[in-house]
Amino acid sequence: MKNSEITSRDLKYIWHPCTQMKDHETLPLIPVKSAKGIWLEDFDGNRYIDSISSWWVNLFGHSNEYITKKLSEQAHTLEHVLLAGFTHEPAVRLAERLSKITPGNLNKVFFADNGSSAIEVALKMSYHAHLNRGESRPLFLSLTNSYHGETIGALSVGDVELYKKTYEPILIKSIQTPVPEDISEEAAYEAIKKLEEILKAQGDKISAMIVEPLVQCAGYMHMYHPVYLKLASELCKSYKIHFIADEIAVGFGRTGTMFACEQAGIVPDFMTLSKGLTGGYMPLAVVMTNDEIYSAFYCDYLEYKAFLHSHSYTGNPLGCSCANAVLDIFENEDVLRANRKKASWMEELLKPFESLENVKEVRQTGMIAAVELKGYKPEDRVNLKIFEFCLKNGVFVRPLGHVVYFMPPYIITYDEMHKMIETVYNAVKLLK
């Protein structure tokens, strides 16, 4: 079987996500036959470094032997059972372990299917908890340039125009406060002043503030200082506003600590986790919260007070087993220390970009790095030019407009990282 055959069959039936399908009249669609480690292989035998961990989910490499083994064992025992009125050991074990490794008192776990669903859960749970305590707070607060998913609620609290503008008339009420302009402390304090103004004016109407800690990934990999999280969390507490940490993309070691919130020393009221949670194997998400939120729903049965939210595959045993395998790897290997070493490799390898005239900025937080270009218009489609050049040279990247980024699997070697970054450097250098 060849690439062309799979591509032809695909384009006859499949509508791909975040894609203008007409582009595929000329843009190559990559049919992946297999994957191992950080490498993807197509049906024609071409191999590509997966530099973005397949949308930031694959932590420990494709076809990881340990995770595969645990998934297979679970599939032979229990593939699924509803989590309403039933439970199972993989979910219980995962909940116990997550409550121990997440910051502070986040000891209640609500399961969902994916990142956007977890955001919906957190938003609904926050609003409903206030309501159960006698307050109606109809607004949500988020940062400018933020992204939290593409379902209606998640899209409502995001601020990336590309995704949001079309659906504006049907979204729920939210307001935005400026994200710090850059990674400096000064920018963080300036943004806090704006947040204070908003809270003074509307604080009693806001149910929760939701943030992506340290890195706004889909927001062109914008990065900011941890002090903003600390001060924003304290301000929210003074106005009895819940603080939601969306760690879906940045959790599980991606920023240098297990969770990005740890770098600010904060404990949010809600933490949403997905993506790397299962190492890229199965769709699974969780919302972590505390006893205070939980107690707002705990009473003799009153249907309007119960949190009536569910997913058919809530707490799926296969997904939970993969997640437990991921946590095993973190426990048995010094992943965070290895990541810090690899982040230093990345920093060194990125330095040549700083001398290129078409590069505006190089920025990095842990195992996330971004190269922002300058001097191009959207219609120049520099992202496609970079994508095609890199693909021909064995590297898969998916630039965010004029921002090329790297979020490779943690198992990447120095030589593989060198090839990945050098290939992108050559692509950027050749741009006109």
Side-chain angles (χ1 to χ4, degrees):
M1 197 172 292
K2 295 289 186 183
N3 283 356
S4 56
E5 181 185 341
I6 296 292
T7 298
S8 176
R9 288 164 60 192
D10 173 289
L11 293 175
K12 191 174 180 181
Y13 298 104
I14 298 179
W15 193 341
H16 290 262
C18 289
T19 301
Q20 171 46 259
M21 293 303 296
K22 195 174 191 300
D23 282 346
H24 284 309
E25 290 180 6
T26 54
L27 186 69
L29 187 65
I30 312 163
V32 176
K33 179 182 180 181
S34 62
K36 183 67 178 175
I38 72 160
W39 293 90
L40 308 171
E41 184 170 341
D42 66 19
F43 284 79
D44 291 346
N46 302 306
R47 297 171 76 233
Y48 314 96
I49 290 176
D50 185 357
S51 71
I52 65 166
S53 300
S54 289
W55 257 343
W56 323 336
V57 300
N58 189 281
L59 301 189
F60 298 116
H62 296 278
S63 302
N64 179 283
E65 290 183 10
Y66 183 74
I67 302 174
T68 300
K69 176 174 175 283
K70 292 299 181 181
L71 174 60
S72 177
E73 289 173 358
Q74 185 58 49
H76 283 87
T77 305
L78 174 67
E79 82 298 339
H80 185 62
V81 68
L82 73 164
L83 210 62
F86 288 80
T87 191
H88 52 83
E89 197 274 340
V92 173
R93 183 163 176 253
L94 179 58
E96 289 172 338
R97 298 173 81 183
L98 289 173
S99 71
K100 288 176 183 174
I101 65 171
T102 47
N105 60 346
L106 297 174
N107 57 2
K108 288 293 184 282
V109 181
F110 195 96
F111 286 95
D113 292 357
N114 57 68
S116 295
S117 296
I119 298 299
E120 301 280 342
V121 169
L123 298 177
K124 288 175 66 179
M125 201 177 277
S126 171
Y127 174 77
H128 200 163
H130 284 298
L131 201 63
N132 282 353
R133 298 200 188 281
E135 283 191 275
S136 177
R137 290 177 171 241
L139 295 178
F140 291 98
L141 177 65
S142 60
L143 295 174
T144 55
N145 192 54
S146 59
Y147 173 90
H148 298 285
E150 292 164 43
T151 52
I152 293 296
L155 199 60
S156 298
V157 293
D159 188 51
V160 178
E161 186 181 40
L162 175 67
Y163 302 102
K164 186 172 182 176
K165 183 178 179 181
T166 302
Y167 306 102
E168 197 78 51
I170 61 172
L171 301 182
I172 63 175
K173 299 171 187 173
S174 75
I175 51 178
Q176 278 70 49
T177 186
V179 68
E181 198 169 289
D182 54 43
I183 206 165
S184 69
E185 264 192 82
E186 293 78 13
Y189 281 103
E190 280 300 312
I192 284 294
K193 290 177 187 175
K194 300 293 185 182
L195 174 60
E196 284 183 292
E197 292 173 9
I198 289 173
L199 296 188
K200 283 176 185 175
Q202 301 186 76
D204 61 342
K205 299 182 183 69
I206 297 169
S207 184
M209 179 178 184
I210 181 168
V211 302
E212 301 155 276
L214 303 186
V215 185
Q216 295 181 313
C217 292
Y220 304 96
M221 297 295 161
H222 182 75
M223 301 175 186
Y224 61 92
H225 197 281
V227 74
Y228 181 84
L229 293 173
K230 183 177 186 300
L231 298 175
S233 174
E234 290 170 357
L235 277 173
C236 285
K237 193 168 292 185
S238 69
Y239 283 89
K240 298 181 179 178
I241 294 168
H242 296 143
F243 197 78
I244 303 172
D246 176 357
E247 294 249 6
I248 288 163
V250 297
F252 297 104
R254 186 56 77 174
T255 64
T257 48
M258 191 65 169
F259 302 103
C261 280
E262 294 174 53
Q263 296 182 42
I266 66 166
V267 179
D269 298 290
F270 298 91
M271 180 183 282
T272 57
L273 301 170
S274 189
K275 288 195 181 289
L277 174 61
T278 67
Y281 267 70
M282 297 289 293
L284 186 70
V286 298
V287 178
M288 309 291 299
T289 190
N290 55 48
D291 284 329
E292 184 181 353
I293 301 292
Y294 180 78
S295 66
F297 298 87
Y298 198 86
C299 62
D300 292 329
Y301 184 74
L302 294 169
E303 61 183 24
Y304 65 88
K305 276 204 165 188
F307 189 60
L308 300 178
H309 184 103
S310 63
H311 302 271
S312 299
Y313 285 92
T314 294
N316 175 258
L318 301 176
C320 290
S321 292
C322 292
N324 277 311
V326 165
L327 296 188
D328 288 345
I329 295 172
F330 273 104
E331 284 183 9
N332 297 328
E333 301 176 23
D334 199 345
V335 176
L336 297 180
R337 178 195 262 180
N339 278 6
R340 286 191 284 272
K341 182 179 179 181
K342 291 177 182 182
S344 68
W345 295 350
M346 191 179 285
E347 182 181 10
E348 193 65 30
L349 290 167
L350 287 166
K351 284 182 179 175
F353 282 99
E354 296 170 0
S355 63
L356 295 180
E357 291 184 1
N358 57 346
V359 170
K360 177 182 178 182
E361 184 183 41
V362 178
R363 49 186 180 267
Q364 182 182 358
T365 298
M367 287 287 281
I368 305 173
V371 177
E372 183 171 352
L373 307 181
K374 63 182 178 182
Y376 301 103
K377 304 185 189 76
E379 55 268 28
D380 293 331
R381 304 296 294 273
V382 292
N383 55 331
L384 294 185
K385 292 173 184 175
I386 293 170
F387 166 79
E388 290 186 291
F389 177 93
C390 291
L391 203 63
K392 288 174 184 175
N393 289 277
V395 176
F396 167 60
V397 294
R398 189 179 170 88
L400 294 160
H402 65 297
V403 176
V404 194
Y405 69 92
F406 305 99
M407 286 180 72
Y410 299 162
I411 62 162
I412 193 168
T413 66
Y414 181 87
D415 288 343
E416 290 166 341
M417 188 180 288
H418 184 272
K419 175 178 173 59
M420 173 183 77
I421 293 176
E422 184 180 52
T423 300
V424 174
Y425 173 82
N426 289 334
V428 172
K429 190 177 179 181
L430 289 170
L431 286 173
K432 295 177 181 178

Short mmCIF file of all heavy atoms in Angstrom, two decimals, residues 141-189:
data_model
loop_
_atom_site.label_atom_id
_atom_site.label_comp_id
_atom_site.label_asym_id
_atom_site.label_seq_id
_atom_site.Cartn_x
_atom_site.Cartn_y
_atom_site.Cartn_z
N LEU A 141 -13.75 34.93 33.83
CA LEU A 141 -12.65 35.82 33.49
C LEU A 141 -11.47 34.99 32.97
O LEU A 141 -11.12 33.96 33.56
CB LEU A 141 -12.22 36.60 34.75
CG LEU A 141 -11.02 37.53 34.63
CD1 LEU A 141 -11.33 38.69 33.67
CD2 LEU A 141 -10.65 38.09 36.01
N SER A 142 -10.88 35.44 31.89
CA SER A 142 -9.71 34.75 31.33
C SER A 142 -8.72 35.79 30.81
O SER A 142 -9.00 36.99 30.80
CB SER A 142 -10.12 33.79 30.22
OG SER A 142 -10.77 34.48 29.17
N LEU A 143 -7.57 35.31 30.38
CA LEU A 143 -6.53 36.20 29.86
C LEU A 143 -6.73 36.47 28.38
O LEU A 143 -7.22 35.61 27.64
CB LEU A 143 -5.15 35.58 30.07
CG LEU A 143 -4.70 35.37 31.52
CD1 LEU A 143 -3.37 34.62 31.56
CD2 LEU A 143 -4.58 36.69 32.25
N THR A 144 -6.33 37.65 27.94
CA THR A 144 -6.29 37.89 26.50
C THR A 144 -5.32 36.89 25.88
O THR A 144 -4.38 36.41 26.52
CB THR A 144 -5.82 39.33 26.19
OG1 THR A 144 -4.55 39.55 26.83
CG2 THR A 144 -6.82 40.37 26.67
N ASN A 145 -5.57 36.54 24.64
CA ASN A 145 -4.72 35.61 23.88
C ASN A 145 -4.81 34.17 24.38
O ASN A 145 -4.03 33.32 23.98
CB ASN A 145 -3.25 36.08 23.90
CG ASN A 145 -2.38 35.34 22.90
OD1 ASN A 145 -2.67 35.27 21.72
ND2 ASN A 145 -1.31 34.73 23.40
N SER A 146 -5.77 33.87 25.24
CA SER A 146 -5.84 32.52 25.83
C SER A 146 -6.59 31.56 24.92
O SER A 146 -7.38 31.96 24.06
CB SER A 146 -6.54 32.58 27.20
OG SER A 146 -7.85 33.11 27.07
N TYR A 147 -6.34 30.28 25.16
CA TYR A 147 -7.03 29.21 24.44
C TYR A 147 -7.31 28.08 25.43
O TYR A 147 -6.42 27.63 26.14
CB TYR A 147 -6.16 28.67 23.30
CG TYR A 147 -6.74 27.44 22.62
CD1 TYR A 147 -7.58 27.56 21.52
CD2 TYR A 147 -6.44 26.16 23.09
CE1 TYR A 147 -8.11 26.43 20.89
CE2 TYR A 147 -6.97 25.03 22.47
CZ TYR A 147 -7.81 25.18 21.37
OH TYR A 147 -8.33 24.07 20.77
N HIS A 148 -8.59 27.64 25.45
CA HIS A 148 -8.96 26.58 26.40
C HIS A 148 -9.74 25.45 25.74
O HIS A 148 -10.27 24.58 26.45
CB HIS A 148 -9.75 27.17 27.56
CG HIS A 148 -8.97 28.17 28.36
ND1 HIS A 148 -7.99 27.81 29.24
CD2 HIS A 148 -9.00 29.53 28.36
CE1 HIS A 148 -7.45 28.90 29.78
NE2 HIS A 148 -8.04 29.95 29.25
N GLY A 149 -9.82 25.44 24.42
CA GLY A 149 -10.55 24.39 23.73
C GLY A 149 -11.59 24.96 22.80
O GLY A 149 -11.78 26.18 22.71
N GLU A 150 -12.31 24.08 22.10
CA GLU A 150 -13.19 24.54 21.03
C GLU A 150 -14.65 24.12 21.17
O GLU A 150 -15.44 24.34 20.26
CB GLU A 150 -12.61 24.09 19.69
CG GLU A 150 -11.32 24.83 19.38
CD GLU A 150 -10.49 24.20 18.28
OE1 GLU A 150 -11.07 23.78 17.28
OE2 GLU A 150 -9.26 24.10 18.46
N THR A 151 -15.01 23.52 22.29
CA THR A 151 -16.45 23.37 22.58
C THR A 151 -16.97 24.74 23.01
O THR A 151 -16.18 25.65 23.30
CB THR A 151 -16.67 22.32 23.67
OG1 THR A 151 -15.84 22.63 24.80
CG2 THR A 151 -16.34 20.92 23.17
N ILE A 152 -18.28 24.89 23.08
CA ILE A 152 -18.86 26.23 23.26
C ILE A 152 -18.38 26.92 24.54
O ILE A 152 -17.96 28.08 24.52
CB ILE A 152 -20.40 26.17 23.22
CG1 ILE A 152 -20.89 25.77 21.83
CG2 ILE A 152 -21.02 27.51 23.63
CD1 ILE A 152 -20.55 26.77 20.74
N GLY A 153 -18.42 26.23 25.67
CA GLY A 153 -17.97 26.84 26.91
C GLY A 153 -16.49 27.15 26.90
O GLY A 153 -16.06 28.24 27.29
N ALA A 154 -15.69 26.19 26.45
CA ALA A 154 -14.24 26.39 26.40
C ALA A 154 -13.87 27.51 25.44
O ALA A 154 -12.98 28.33 25.72
CB ALA A 154 -13.56 25.09 25.98
N LEU A 155 -14.55 27.57 24.32
CA LEU A 155 -14.30 28.62 23.34
C LEU A 155 -14.67 29.99 23.91
O LEU A 155 -14.03 31.00 23.64
CB LEU A 155 -15.12 28.34 22.08
CG LEU A 155 -14.71 29.04 20.78
CD1 LEU A 155 -13.29 28.67 20.38
CD2 LEU A 155 -15.68 28.67 19.66
N SER A 156 -15.71 30.02 24.74
CA SER A 156 -16.20 31.27 25.33
C SER A 156 -15.14 31.95 26.19
O SER A 156 -15.05 33.18 26.22
CB SER A 156 -17.44 31.01 26.18
OG SER A 156 -18.50 30.50 25.41
N VAL A 157 -14.35 31.16 26.91
CA VAL A 157 -13.36 31.76 27.80
C VAL A 157 -12.00 31.90 27.14
O VAL A 157 -11.04 32.37 27.75
CB VAL A 157 -13.23 30.96 29.12
CG1 VAL A 157 -14.51 31.08 29.92
CG2 VAL A 157 -12.89 29.50 28.87
N GLY A 158 -11.90 31.49 25.88
CA GLY A 158 -10.67 31.69 25.12
C GLY A 158 -10.68 33.06 24.46
O GLY A 158 -11.68 33.78 24.47
N ASP A 159 -9.54 33.42 23.85
CA ASP A 159 -9.45 34.75 23.24
C ASP A 159 -8.58 34.76 21.98
O ASP A 159 -8.05 35.78 21.61
CB ASP A 159 -8.89 35.76 24.27
CG ASP A 159 -8.96 37.20 23.77
OD1 ASP A 159 -10.04 37.63 23.33
OD2 ASP A 159 -7.91 37.89 23.81
N VAL A 160 -8.42 33.61 21.35
CA VAL A 160 -7.70 33.57 20.07
C VAL A 160 -8.74 33.77 18.97
O VAL A 160 -9.59 32.91 18.73
CB VAL A 160 -6.94 32.25 19.88
CG1 VAL A 160 -6.24 32.23 18.52
CG2 VAL A 160 -5.90 32.07 21.00
N GLU A 161 -8.68 34.91 18.31
CA GLU A 161 -9.72 35.31 17.35
C GLU A 161 -9.93 34.27 16.25
O GLU A 161 -11.07 34.03 15.83
CB GLU A 161 -9.36 36.66 16.73
CG GLU A 161 -10.46 37.22 15.83
CD GLU A 161 -10.06 38.55 15.21
OE1 GLU A 161 -8.88 38.68 14.82
OE2 GLU A 161 -10.93 39.43 15.12
N LEU A 162 -8.86 33.65 15.82
CA LEU A 162 -8.93 32.65 14.75
C LEU A 162 -10.00 31.60 15.03
O LEU A 162 -10.73 31.17 14.14
CB LEU A 162 -7.56 31.99 14.59
CG LEU A 162 -7.44 30.83 13.61
CD1 LEU A 162 -7.65 31.32 12.18
CD2 LEU A 162 -6.08 30.13 13.76
N TYR A 163 -10.09 31.17 16.30
CA TYR A 163 -11.05 30.13 16.67
C TYR A 163 -12.40 30.70 17.10
O TYR A 163 -13.44 30.07 16.91
CB TYR A 163 -10.49 29.30 17.84
CG TYR A 163 -9.16 28.66 17.54
CD1 TYR A 163 -7.98 29.20 18.04
CD2 TYR A 163 -9.08 27.50 16.76
CE1 TYR A 163 -6.74 28.61 17.77
CE2 TYR A 163 -7.85 26.91 16.48
CZ TYR A 163 -6.69 27.48 16.98
OH TYR A 163 -5.49 26.90 16.71
N LYS A 164 -12.39 31.88 17.68
CA LYS A 164 -13.56 32.39 18.41
C LYS A 164 -14.50 33.29 17.61
O LYS A 164 -15.72 33.26 17.81
CB LYS A 164 -13.06 33.15 19.65
CG LYS A 164 -14.14 33.62 20.60
CD LYS A 164 -13.53 34.17 21.89
CE LYS A 164 -14.61 34.58 22.87
NZ LYS A 164 -14.04 35.04 24.15
N LYS A 165 -13.95 34.09 16.71
CA LYS A 165 -14.72 35.17 16.08
C LYS A 165 -16.02 34.69 15.44
O LYS A 165 -17.08 35.29 15.62
CB LYS A 165 -13.85 35.87 15.03
CG LYS A 165 -14.53 37.06 14.38
CD LYS A 165 -13.59 37.74 13.39
CE LYS A 165 -14.29 38.92 12.71
NZ LYS A 165 -13.39 39.58 11.72
N THR A 166 -15.96 33.61 14.70
CA THR A 166 -17.14 33.11 13.96
C THR A 166 -18.31 32.79 14.89
O THR A 166 -19.47 33.02 14.54
CB THR A 166 -16.76 31.84 13.18
OG1 THR A 166 -15.68 32.14 12.29
CG2 THR A 166 -17.94 31.32 12.37
N TYR A 167 -18.01 32.29 16.09
CA TYR A 167 -19.05 31.77 16.97
C TYR A 167 -19.44 32.75 18.08
O TYR A 167 -20.24 32.41 18.96
CB TYR A 167 -18.59 30.45 17.59
CG TYR A 167 -18.16 29.45 16.55
CD1 TYR A 167 -16.81 29.23 16.29
CD2 TYR A 167 -19.11 28.77 15.77
CE1 TYR A 167 -16.42 28.34 15.30
CE2 TYR A 167 -18.71 27.88 14.79
CZ TYR A 167 -17.36 27.66 14.56
OH TYR A 167 -16.97 26.79 13.58
N GLU A 168 -18.90 33.97 18.03
CA GLU A 168 -19.13 34.96 19.08
C GLU A 168 -20.60 35.11 19.50
O GLU A 168 -20.91 35.16 20.69
CB GLU A 168 -18.58 36.32 18.64
CG GLU A 168 -18.40 37.32 19.76
CD GLU A 168 -17.16 37.07 20.60
OE1 GLU A 168 -16.07 36.92 20.05
OE2 GLU A 168 -17.32 36.99 21.84
N PRO A 169 -21.54 35.15 18.55
CA PRO A 169 -22.94 35.38 18.95
C PRO A 169 -23.55 34.27 19.82
O PRO A 169 -24.56 34.49 20.48
CB PRO A 169 -23.68 35.47 17.61
CG PRO A 169 -22.64 35.84 16.61
CD PRO A 169 -21.39 35.16 17.09
N ILE A 170 -22.97 33.07 19.81
CA ILE A 170 -23.59 31.96 20.56
C ILE A 170 -22.79 31.55 21.79
O ILE A 170 -23.09 30.54 22.42
CB ILE A 170 -23.81 30.73 19.65
CG1 ILE A 170 -22.48 30.21 19.09
CG2 ILE A 170 -24.78 31.06 18.53
CD1 ILE A 170 -22.61 28.89 18.34
N LEU A 171 -21.78 32.36 22.18
CA LEU A 171 -20.93 31.99 23.30
C LEU A 171 -21.48 32.50 24.63
O LEU A 171 -22.27 33.44 24.68
CB LEU A 171 -19.52 32.53 23.08
CG LEU A 171 -18.81 32.05 21.82
CD1 LEU A 171 -17.39 32.63 21.74
CD2 LEU A 171 -18.77 30.53 21.74
N ILE A 172 -21.02 31.88 25.74
CA ILE A 172 -21.45 32.31 27.07
C ILE A 172 -20.67 33.56 27.49
O ILE A 172 -19.67 33.92 26.87
CB ILE A 172 -21.29 31.20 28.12
CG1 ILE A 172 -19.80 30.81 28.28
CG2 ILE A 172 -22.11 29.98 27.76
CD1 ILE A 172 -19.55 29.80 29.38
N LYS A 173 -21.11 34.22 28.54
CA LYS A 173 -20.54 35.50 28.94
C LYS A 173 -19.16 35.31 29.57
O LYS A 173 -19.00 34.56 30.52
CB LYS A 173 -21.45 36.20 29.95
CG LYS A 173 -22.84 36.51 29.44
CD LYS A 173 -23.72 37.00 30.58
CE LYS A 173 -25.16 37.15 30.14
NZ LYS A 173 -26.05 37.47 31.28
N SER A 174 -18.19 36.04 29.03
CA SER A 174 -16.86 36.05 29.65
C SER A 174 -16.20 37.39 29.38
O SER A 174 -16.56 38.11 28.45
CB SER A 174 -15.99 34.91 29.11
OG SER A 174 -15.53 35.19 27.80
N ILE A 175 -15.25 37.72 30.23
CA ILE A 175 -14.48 38.95 30.03
C ILE A 175 -13.00 38.59 30.10
O ILE A 175 -12.62 37.57 30.68
CB ILE A 175 -14.81 40.03 31.08
CG1 ILE A 175 -14.72 39.45 32.49
CG2 ILE A 175 -16.18 40.63 30.83
CD1 ILE A 175 -15.00 40.47 33.59
N GLN A 176 -12.16 39.41 29.46
CA GLN A 176 -10.74 39.13 29.43
C GLN A 176 -9.95 40.24 30.13
O GLN A 176 -10.33 41.42 30.09
CB GLN A 176 -10.24 38.99 27.98
CG GLN A 176 -10.47 37.62 27.38
CD GLN A 176 -11.96 37.35 27.11
OE1 GLN A 176 -12.65 38.16 26.51
NE2 GLN A 176 -12.44 36.21 27.56
N THR A 177 -8.87 39.84 30.76
CA THR A 177 -7.92 40.77 31.36
C THR A 177 -6.57 40.57 30.67
O THR A 177 -6.25 39.44 30.26
CB THR A 177 -7.81 40.54 32.88
OG1 THR A 177 -6.98 41.55 33.47
CG2 THR A 177 -7.24 39.17 33.22
N PRO A 178 -5.79 41.64 30.50
CA PRO A 178 -4.56 41.51 29.70
C PRO A 178 -3.57 40.50 30.26
O PRO A 178 -3.28 40.48 31.46
CB PRO A 178 -3.96 42.92 29.75
CG PRO A 178 -5.12 43.82 30.02
CD PRO A 178 -6.03 43.04 30.91
N VAL A 179 -3.04 39.66 29.39
CA VAL A 179 -1.96 38.76 29.75
C VAL A 179 -0.68 39.60 29.85
O VAL A 179 -0.56 40.62 29.15
CB VAL A 179 -1.79 37.65 28.69
CG1 VAL A 179 -1.28 38.20 27.36
CG2 VAL A 179 -0.87 36.53 29.18
N PRO A 180 0.25 39.25 30.73
CA PRO A 180 1.53 39.97 30.75
C PRO A 180 2.15 40.02 29.36
O PRO A 180 2.14 39.02 28.63
CB PRO A 180 2.37 39.15 31.73
CG PRO A 180 1.38 38.55 32.67
CD PRO A 180 0.19 38.23 31.82
N GLU A 181 2.70 41.16 29.03
CA GLU A 181 3.19 41.40 27.67
C GLU A 181 4.34 40.47 27.28
O GLU A 181 4.48 40.09 26.12
CB GLU A 181 3.64 42.86 27.55
CG GLU A 181 3.75 43.35 26.13
CD GLU A 181 3.94 44.86 26.09
OE1 GLU A 181 2.98 45.60 26.40
OE2 GLU A 181 5.06 45.28 25.76
N ASP A 182 5.16 40.12 28.26
CA ASP A 182 6.29 39.24 27.98
C ASP A 182 6.62 38.46 29.25
O ASP A 182 5.85 38.45 30.22
CB ASP A 182 7.50 40.03 27.46
CG ASP A 182 7.90 41.17 28.39
OD1 ASP A 182 7.92 40.96 29.62
OD2 ASP A 182 8.20 42.27 27.89
N ILE A 183 7.80 37.85 29.28
CA ILE A 183 8.15 36.94 30.37
C ILE A 183 8.78 37.67 31.57
O ILE A 183 9.10 37.04 32.58
CB ILE A 183 9.08 35.84 29.83
CG1 ILE A 183 8.97 34.57 30.68
CG2 ILE A 183 10.51 36.32 29.70
CD1 ILE A 183 9.56 33.33 30.03
N SER A 184 8.89 38.98 31.50
CA SER A 184 9.53 39.74 32.58
C SER A 184 8.61 39.92 33.79
O SER A 184 7.39 39.87 33.67
CB SER A 184 9.95 41.12 32.07
OG SER A 184 8.80 41.91 31.80
N GLU A 185 9.22 40.16 34.96
CA GLU A 185 8.44 40.44 36.17
C GLU A 185 7.68 41.75 36.03
O GLU A 185 6.55 41.88 36.51
CB GLU A 185 9.38 40.51 37.39
CG GLU A 185 9.46 39.23 38.17
CD GLU A 185 10.15 39.40 39.51
OE1 GLU A 185 9.49 39.83 40.48
OE2 GLU A 185 11.36 39.11 39.56
N GLU A 186 8.33 42.73 35.40
CA GLU A 186 7.68 44.04 35.23
C GLU A 186 6.36 43.92 34.48
O GLU A 186 5.35 44.53 34.86
CB GLU A 186 8.62 45.00 34.47
CG GLU A 186 9.88 45.39 35.22
CD GLU A 186 10.95 44.31 35.22
OE1 GLU A 186 10.85 43.35 34.43
OE2 GLU A 186 11.91 44.44 36.01
N ALA A 187 6.36 43.11 33.43
CA ALA A 187 5.13 42.91 32.65
C ALA A 187 4.06 42.23 33.49
O ALA A 187 2.87 42.54 33.37
CB ALA A 187 5.43 42.07 31.41
N ALA A 188 4.47 41.32 34.37
CA ALA A 188 3.51 40.64 35.24
C ALA A 188 2.83 41.64 36.18
O ALA A 188 1.60 41.61 36.36
CB ALA A 188 4.22 39.56 36.05
N TYR A 189 3.62 42.54 36.78
CA TYR A 189 3.04 43.52 37.70
C TYR A 189 2.12 44.50 36.98
O TYR A 189 1.09 44.92 37.52
CB TYR A 189 4.15 44.26 38.45
CG TYR A 189 4.73 43.44 39.60
CD1 TYR A 189 5.97 42.80 39.47
CD2 TYR A 189 4.03 43.30 40.79
CE1 TYR A 189 6.49 42.05 40.51
CE2 TYR A 189 4.55 42.55 41.84
CZ TYR A 189 5.78 41.93 41.69
OH TYR A 189 6.29 41.18 42.72
#
